[in-house]
């Protein structure tokens, strides 16, 4: 399903929307015993969560009257009680009447919220009519583990949930593409009732991170990476410490790194720490992008996305989406830095060659004891680039500019030759590198995806040098 452009008008709605309270951070409790959940509650409070979600369907040997009394009364934080049936993605397979009895008992014992599924919401809400405590809220939820419907279908779903008697609407869909998130955000910012809107999966991560920007009532953060209650759920610690969740507001500008894969990138750690230190109202996020053109066409608001880093495999293909390109980036044929101007136009740059080449130069000077004032230590050196993609183009260009003799090796020889011809270098296949005779002081730069997380021990060439008496190998 296609996505409508996420425009300035959508963002303006989020700024002037009806809900002004900060988005709450809820930590799901996935313990299998009451004792484990009590421990998890204390950890959630220490981390900084606002609410804990008691997942009753995770408990073994659950005794409603006894266990709910302990869990609700001893919780150091407000409680959201969920008893998710297997037909809605949970673990409960028992009698439906007993399940709803437990939820009603949780309400009577002082739970702040109950999460009940849309399929049974009318029945449940009718059963508690006139009995609800003053500050008690019913969350009516709907989960789609297959896809994200059209904007119209999501809007109709929200209307159905509201009509069921919900105090708070919750919708959770699944992202097949990062642009799916736009449809859910559009509904969220226009909603006239408190709304929890989550798009599950790694491609839907921004729906969770940016809940405060778009008026979400709450978002979920796991206690630990391995204890998530839904696909793509970040940890509460990452929300607070990595993404500065408490500082995100409706007018916060959004930056990020687009790539595939992208979750391994340390960029959010660096940028968000810098934003916080200088007091910049901005957040930097991971953006798992499959189709760059579709991504930029969908997210076209000046503060969403305000700018981004660009990594594998989009450094070359993203060029066609740009309105203007820096001359050097144009010459290299790859970009890694994109800025959106106030008028929405996209401008691209290449800073890869500067950062990478200067780092290599600094390392060579340090090892050689050379003064920084001396010319480039790359001058005259043999510089072998593995890979002819965007990063390979940047390093080959930078090495040539510093006076190095460039060799480009790529899995596909034609791509290696095309790049080598542009920088006046030599082309090889990766297979030929195995028998390539190095020389003293040669620089080898791997710009392929081989060796990236999670397969960090893989190498594009053999780990054991095949050349006799080279590298001290027998």
């Amino acid at each position: 399903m296609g996505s409508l452009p996420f425009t300035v008008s959508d963002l303006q709605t989020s700024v002037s929307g009806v809900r002004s309270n900060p988005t709450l951070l809820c930590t799901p409790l996935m313990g299998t015993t009451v004792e484990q959940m009590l421990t998890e509650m204390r950890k959630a409070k220490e981390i900084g969560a606002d609410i804990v979600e008691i997942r009753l369907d995770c408990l073994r040997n659950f005794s409603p009257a006894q266990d709910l009394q302990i869990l609700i009364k001893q919780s150091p934080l407000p409680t959201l009680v969920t008893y998710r049936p297997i037909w809605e993605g949970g673990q409960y397979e028992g009698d439906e009447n007993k399940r709803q009895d437990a939820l009603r008992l949780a309400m009577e014992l002082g739970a702040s919220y109950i999460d009940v599924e849309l399929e049974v919401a009318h029945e449940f809400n009718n059963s508690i009519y006139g009995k609800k405590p003053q500050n008690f809220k019913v969350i009516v939820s709907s989960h789609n583990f297959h896809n994200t419907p059209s904007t119209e279908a999501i809007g109709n779903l929200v209307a159905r949930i509201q009509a069921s008697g919900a105090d708070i609407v919750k919708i959770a869909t699944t992202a097949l593409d990062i642009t799916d998130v736009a449809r859910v955000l559009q509904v969220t910012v226009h909603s006239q009732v408190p709304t929890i809107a989550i798009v599950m999966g790694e491609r839907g991560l921004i729906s969770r991170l940016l809940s405060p920007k778009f008026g979400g009532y709450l978002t979920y953060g796991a206690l630990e990476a391995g204890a998530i209650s839904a696909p793509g759920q970040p940890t509460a610690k990452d929300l607070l410490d990595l993404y500065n969740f408490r500082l995100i507001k409706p007018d916060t500008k959004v930056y990020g790194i687009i790539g595939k894969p992208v979750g391994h990138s340390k960029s959010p750690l660096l940028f968000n720490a810098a934003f916080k230190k200088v007091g910049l109202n901005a957040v930097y996020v991971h953006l798992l992008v499959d189709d760059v053109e579709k991504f930029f066409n969908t997210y076209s608001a000046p503060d969403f996305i305000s700018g981004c880093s660009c990594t594998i495999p989009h450094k070359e293909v993203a060029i066609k989406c740009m309105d203007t390109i820096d001359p050097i980036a144009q010459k290299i044929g790859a970009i890694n830095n994109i800025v959106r101007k106030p008028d929405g136009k996209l401008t691209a740059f290449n800073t890869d060659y500067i950062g990478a080449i200067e780092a290599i130069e600094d390392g060579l000077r340090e090892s050689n004891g050379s003064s920084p004032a001396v010319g480039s230590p790359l001058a005259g050196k043999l510089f072998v680039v593995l890979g002819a993609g965007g990063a390979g183009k940047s390093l080959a260009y930078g090495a040539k500019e510093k006076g190095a003799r460039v060799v480009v090796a790529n899995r596909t020889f034609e791509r290696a030759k095309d790049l080598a011809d542009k920088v006046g270098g030599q082309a090889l296949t990766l297979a030929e590198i195995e028998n390539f005779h190095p020389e003293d002081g040669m620089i080898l730069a791997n710009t392929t995806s081989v060796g990236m997380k999670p397969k960090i021990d893989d190498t594009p060439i053999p780990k054991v040098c095949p050349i006799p008496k080279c590298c001290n190998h027998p």
Side-chain angles (χ1 to χ4, degrees):
M1 299 178 183
S3 294
L4 296 173
F6 198 67
T7 61
V8 177
S9 61
D10 294 306
L11 293 169
Q12 288 172 338
T13 302
S14 72
V15 174
S16 59
V18 295
R19 188 170 186 277
S20 59
N21 291 331
T23 299
L24 301 171
L25 174 56
C26 178
T27 296
L29 308 180
M30 308 293 288
T32 58
T33 67
V34 171
E35 291 72 22
Q36 286 178 356
M37 283 196 174
L38 291 174
T39 299
E40 291 172 349
M41 288 176 179
R42 292 188 286 271
K43 289 182 180 178
K45 182 175 176 60
E46 290 172 5
I47 290 172
D50 301 303
I51 306 170
V52 289
E53 180 186 30
I54 301 174
R55 286 293 301 264
L56 298 179
D57 52 305
C58 292
L59 287 172
R60 299 173 187 159
N61 305 316
F62 173 48
S63 175
Q66 178 180 337
D67 295 346
L68 283 171
Q69 178 80 22
I70 295 171
L71 290 168
I72 294 172
K73 298 298 183 182
Q74 294 188 24
S75 175
L77 294 170
T79 54
L80 188 171
V81 177
T82 301
Y83 204 177
R84 192 74 72 211
I86 197 166
W87 47 262
E88 190 80 4
Q91 300 182 40
Y92 181 75
E93 298 184 75
D95 180 76
E96 178 62 19
N97 290 327
K98 291 182 178 179
R99 188 177 76 90
Q100 292 192 33
D101 285 344
L103 292 175
R104 282 185 283 269
L105 179 59
M107 176 190 75
E108 295 167 5
L109 290 173
S112 300
Y113 306 87
I114 293 294
D115 183 328
V116 64
E117 301 73 25
L118 176 59
E119 186 171 325
V120 298
H122 276 289
E123 175 188 349
F124 181 82
N125 285 325
N126 286 338
S127 74
I128 64 171
Y129 182 75
K131 303 175 184 177
K132 290 168 63 175
Q134 184 175 359
N135 296 321
F136 172 78
K137 303 292 183 185
V138 175
I139 300 171
V140 176
S141 59
S142 173
H143 297 77
N144 183 331
F145 295 97
H146 305 291
N147 57 28
T148 297
S150 67
T151 304
E152 181 181 8
I154 296 171
N156 291 336
L157 176 61
V158 169
R160 284 177 54 211
I161 294 175
Q162 187 178 2
S164 73
D167 298 307
I168 300 168
V169 169
K170 178 186 174 184
I171 55 172
T173 67
T174 298
L176 303 182
D177 189 275
I178 194 170
T179 58
D180 293 345
V181 179
R183 300 197 291 279
V184 173
L185 295 181
Q186 284 170 330
V187 172
T188 305
V189 298
H190 291 287
S191 178
Q192 297 303 304
V193 294
T195 302
I196 303 167
I198 301 296
V199 186
M200 297 180 286
E202 188 180 355
R203 290 168 176 79
L205 178 63
I206 55 174
S207 70
R208 300 174 181 275
L209 306 182
L210 303 177
S211 288
K213 181 173 178 65
F214 299 105
Y217 187 83
L218 64 77
T219 197
Y220 298 86
L223 270 182
E224 299 173 356
I228 62 174
S229 61
Q233 189 177 92
T235 65
K237 182 174 176 57
D238 278 352
L239 281 168
L240 295 170
D241 298 341
L242 174 57
Y243 298 105
N244 299 327
F245 182 77
R246 299 295 189 198
L247 301 180
I248 300 174
K249 301 179 291 185
D251 60 347
T252 295
K253 290 187 176 182
V254 180
Y255 298 86
I257 176 166
I258 63 172
K260 183 183 178 182
V262 75
H264 63 281
S265 172
K266 303 296 184 184
S267 295
L269 181 65
L270 300 173
F271 280 99
N272 287 322
F275 291 164
K276 185 176 182 179
K277 186 172 182 62
V278 302
L280 187 64
N281 182 19
V283 62
Y284 189 102
V285 298
H286 291 105
L287 300 163
L288 178 56
V289 173
D290 297 283
D291 186 324
V292 179
E293 187 172 7
K294 184 179 180 182
F295 173 79
F296 283 116
N297 286 340
T298 300
Y299 298 110
S300 55
D303 72 340
F304 191 84
I305 303 293
S306 298
C308 58
S309 309
C310 183
T311 190
I312 294 173
H314 302 315
K315 291 175 182 286
E316 297 168 275
V317 297
I319 289 179
K320 66 181 180 181
C321 305
M322 302 298 108
D323 296 295
T324 57
I325 304 171
D326 178 76
I328 293 179
Q330 185 81 61
K331 187 172 183 180
I332 293 173
I335 60 177
N336 74 305
N337 189 284
I338 300 169
V339 176
R340 192 187 294 279
K341 299 295 181 65
D343 62 1
K345 301 292 185 182
L346 297 170
T347 301
F349 304 87
N350 189 307
T351 58
D352 273 340
Y353 81 99
I354 299 173
I357 294 298
E358 287 189 356
I360 292 171
E361 287 180 320
D362 289 345
L364 289 173
R365 289 192 182 103
E366 184 176 342
S367 63
N368 296 333
S370 303
S371 167
V374 178
S376 175
L378 286 174
K381 293 281 188 182
L382 182 62
F383 195 106
V384 180
V385 180
L386 303 184
K393 288 180 175 180
S394 300
L395 264 74
Y397 172 86
K400 177 204 171 187
E401 292 296 298
K402 296 295 185 175
R405 295 173 289 123
V406 179
V407 172
V408 180
N410 192 63
R411 182 173 55 84
T412 306
F413 179 75
E414 289 73 17
R415 280 179 64 86
K417 188 174 188 310
D418 182 61
L419 177 55
D421 288 346
K422 289 179 180 177
V423 297
Q426 178 185 353
L428 299 171
T429 64
L430 281 177
E432 289 177 304
I433 281 290
E434 295 184 21
N435 298 309
F436 182 73
H437 289 259
E439 63 183 52
D440 187 43
M442 180 190 84
I443 293 93
L444 179 67
N446 176 25
T447 70
T448 72
S449 60
V450 180
M452 288 177 61
K453 221 173 177 183
K455 298 180 179 180
I456 58 175
D457 292 326
D458 288 359
T459 57
I461 56 176
K463 294 182 181 181
V464 177
C465 182
I467 302 171
K469 298 184 180 179
C470 173
C471 309
N472 296 320
H473 286 243

